[in-house]
Amino acid sequence: MFRKVLVVDDVDLNDIAVMQVLKELKVPTIESSKYCDDALLKIKRALQDNQPYELLITDLSFKEDYKASILNSGEELIEAAKKIDSNLRAIAFSVEDKPYRIKALFDKYKVDGFVLKGRRSIEELKAAISNAHNAEKFISSELSNILKTKSVGEIDDFDIKVLHYLSVGIQQENMEATLKDAGITPNSKSTVEKRIAKLKDYFKANNTVHLVVIAKDLGII
C-alpha cells in the first residue's frame, strides 16, 4: 500500500472521510491541504527532502476566498504536480459528472482514478486507491461508459469554443469575426463550417440548435 499520501479538499467533511479511508488502508503518512497552491508547495518540499508523496487525492472544484491563488482547480494541481514528479499517482474525488471533463482527466491529465462523491464513494475510493497502487485505472461504476464514448474523446478545445459560441447565440456566419476578436486560430469561415459539419456528424445532430442541446446534455459545454 502507499506510504505517503496528500489529500486536497476545501471541505472538512470530505477531507475527514478520505483520511479515514486511508487510515483503514493503513497508510502511515497522511497529510492534507485546503488550497492547490499550498499542496503544490508541499509536493515540491517533499521531493527536496527526498520523501515524495506517492499519491495525490484531490477535489476538482475549489471555492474562492480571501487568499489569492495561482492554481484554481484540481486539474491544474494534477498537471503541475505531475510535471514536478512524474511518479506521483493521482485520484480525482469530486461531484463533477460532466463526461468531457471526466474523460479529459484520463486523456489529458493522466489521472489514475476518478471517484464520484456520493452514496458509494467510500467503497469506491478504497477500490480506486488499491487500483492506483497496482497501476490500474479506476472510474466510478456509474460513469464507466464515459471512457468508451468515442465521440466525446474526438473533440478538441477549438470544437468546444465553437460549441460555446453557438450556445450563447453567435451565428455560424459571424463565428469567423468572433474567433478573430478572441485571438483564436484557426478562424476562417471554411474552418468553422467544416468543424460544425464534423460535430453534427459525430453527434448525429439535425441542426446547430440540436447540436448545442446534445453538447449540453453530454456536459461538454
Side-chain angles (χ1 to χ4, degrees), residues 85-105:
D85 184 358
S86 60
N87 294 317
L88 179 67
R89 293 182 181 167
I91 293 172
F93 182 49
S94 172
V95 296
E96 179 61 65
D97 61 359
K98 290 183 179 178
Y100 177 74
R101 192 176 183 189
I102 295 171
K103 197 167 193 310
L105 286 169

Side-chain angles (χ1 to χ4, degrees), residues 40-106:
L40 189 61
L41 287 175
K42 285 177 177 286
I43 292 169
K44 289 179 179 179
R45 181 58 186 269
L47 274 173
Q48 291 174 353
D49 294 342
N50 204 27
Q51 295 180 332
Y53 293 100
E54 297 172 326
L55 174 66
L56 167 67
I57 301 176
T58 181
D59 196 355
L60 296 179
S61 300
F62 292 81
K63 291 183 178 179
E64 294 183 7
D65 63 10
Y66 67 91
K67 189 172 182 179
S69 59
I70 297 173
L71 302 175
N72 297 299
S73 70
E75 288 98 332
E76 291 178 4
L77 172 59
I78 291 166
E79 184 174 37
K82 282 184 171 286
K83 283 181 180 178
I84 294 169
D85 184 358
S86 60
N87 294 317
L88 179 67
R89 293 182 181 167
I91 293 172
F93 182 49
S94 172
V95 296
E96 179 61 65
D97 61 359
K98 290 183 179 178
Y100 177 74
R101 192 176 183 189
I102 295 171
K103 197 167 193 310
L105 286 169
F106 289 90

